[in-house]
Amino acid sequence: MKVGILKEPKDEARVAMLPEAVKTLISWGTEVCVESGAGQSAYADDDAYRSTGAEIKQRAEVLTESDMICGIQALPLEEISKMKPDAVLLGQMGALFNPELTKFLLEQKRTAFSMELVPRTTRAQSMDVLSSMATVLGYKATLLAANSLPRFFPMFMTAAGSITPARVLVIGAGVAGLQAIATAKRLGATVFAFDVRQAAKEEVLSIGAKFIDVAGATEDKAAGGYAVEQSADFIQRQKDTIHEHAQKADIIITTAQIPGRKAPLLVEERTVHAMKAGSVIVDLAASSGGNCALTQADQTININGVRIIGVGNLAAELPQDASKMYGKNYLNFLKLIIKDGAINLNFEDDIVLGTCVCHAGEPKNSRIAEMIKQ
């Protein structure tokens, strides 16, 4: 069995596996071929891969010779067509947001796994690429905000007088939000956080931030730790509370997302206009519609002195550690579908079933099956 690692598009500096992960994969009895230059942007050259026992090949060869392709971003449809008919494709395909790709995979009777579909269970935590990359996003978002803010984060006592600490409001206290809070605290800011899940309150308080309460949130244990859609009354009270705190904030970092749906609108246009000149909004939900009404994906705009940064692929800006984490997630998942150096798909395993977009022309993940019916 041969596993292929491809070079990602120009806007993606990460690689699915660094040489250390490839070495582990080869120790399981598999062969690995890596596209030349695949790890270059993550500071892993071809020689580093060769030293693990991997072959270095051109892209066309990796596509046509591999029994399994591991990547990050979704492959173009024409390249999927060049793969072996029974080859397995793995990546972070955004299958729920990309019906064209999903339907193509089904029509081609491909076997594909989309890593963002990994179930939110305790057993699957070590395979959860969304959580791993959210750690990167929260960290980098805070640094991006600090670099964009026209004042200091920490408090200073100087000969010229005192500098008060920056006020940071983090909306959404999942993995990205908690990392943003922790990073902002390390930089000396005063941090406030909001989340609809009461379970997040203890975590927020434990890392030194102040939690903003809005009573009456709907929670669903079946959501696997994610936030769920809220009532119209709660959403309005939530927006009013955020509006009140935003007027005092120097920075807002938004991270709120609902799997398979448009991101909730939490920062209204009126709120942006009420913020202080020089304030910064970093919207980590920009790719799924944005938490801020004025966010433009992959762009930074200025509204009356307030900078709104619609974050794109921020994880690619920390390519070395992001790739290391991604590769470890991959290895933990591949343990479930590789046995004795060969592909072994056990759909009785809830993680394998939940992560699988399709197999032999049939959708496997329940949400994918629902999407196809619509």
Side-chain angles (χ1 to χ4, degrees), residues 60-100:
E61 295 175 296
V62 177
L63 282 167
T64 57
E65 296 177 12
S66 299
D67 302 296
M68 179 183 288
I69 298 283
C70 293
I72 297 178
Q73 295 190 22
L75 285 179
L77 304 187
E78 60 270 20
E79 291 196 330
I80 294 174
S81 298
K82 295 175 183 177
M83 294 169 54
K84 288 182 178 180
D86 58 348
V88 177
L89 176 63
L90 295 95
Q92 196 171 336
M93 303 172 198
L96 289 167
F97 293 100
N98 195 342
E100 181 187 2

Side-chain angles (χ1 to χ4, degrees), residues 42 201-202 251 336:
K201 181 175 182 178
E202 187 177 335
I251 287 172
L336 302 180

Side-chain angles (χ1 to χ4, degrees), residues 323-343:
S323 298
K324 182 176 182 177
M325 296 165 77
Y326 209 103
K328 188 64 177 176
N329 291 145
Y330 252 141
L331 287 176
N332 289 327
F333 179 73
L334 292 176
K335 287 176 185 177
L336 302 180
I337 63 172
I338 295 177
K339 186 176 181 181
D340 299 326
I343 296 172

Side-chain angles (χ1 to χ4, degrees), residues 219-231:
E219 299 199 47
D220 183 358
K221 292 181 180 178
Y226 284 110
V228 297
E229 287 191 284
Q230 302 293 321
S231 68

Side-chain angles (χ1 to χ4, degrees), residues 72 74 80 88-119 330 333 337 345 347 350-373:
I72 297 178
I80 294 174
V88 177
L89 176 63
L90 295 95
Q92 196 171 336
M93 303 172 198
L96 289 167
F97 293 100
N98 195 342
E100 181 187 2
L101 170 63
T102 302
K103 289 175 182 176
F104 179 82
L105 292 168
L106 285 163
E107 289 167 0
Q108 295 285 310
K109 299 188 185 306
R110 293 288 179 179
T111 298
F113 292 86
S114 199
M115 295 300 289
E116 78 277 1
L117 298 177
V118 168
Y330 252 141
F333 179 73
I337 63 172
L345 303 181
F347 291 112
D350 65 304
I351 298 175
V352 176
L353 179 65
T355 309
C356 187
V357 176
C358 55
H359 173 65
E362 293 184 9
K364 289 294 184 181
N365 175 279
S366 59
R367 285 184 290 165
I368 295 293
E370 289 174 13
M371 181 185 78
I372 295 300
K373 288 177 184 177

Side-chain angles (χ1 to χ4, degrees), residues 7 34 68 84 135 155 157 160 165 272 277 284 304 317 353:
K7 186 176 182 179
V34 180
M68 179 183 288
K84 288 182 178 180
T135 300
M155 179 179 72
M157 302 292 289
V272 175
L284 291 180
N304 295 332
E317 296 188 21
L353 179 65

Side-chain angles (χ1 to χ4, degrees), residues 220-252:
D220 183 358
K221 292 181 180 178
Y226 284 110
V228 297
E229 287 191 284
Q230 302 293 321
S231 68
D233 174 65
F234 178 84
I235 289 171
Q236 190 54 55
R237 286 188 288 114
Q238 174 182 256
K239 288 177 180 177
D240 290 342
T241 302
I242 289 170
H243 179 80
E244 178 187 344
H245 284 270
Q247 295 177 65
K248 305 170 189 174
D250 298 295
I251 287 172
I252 298 178

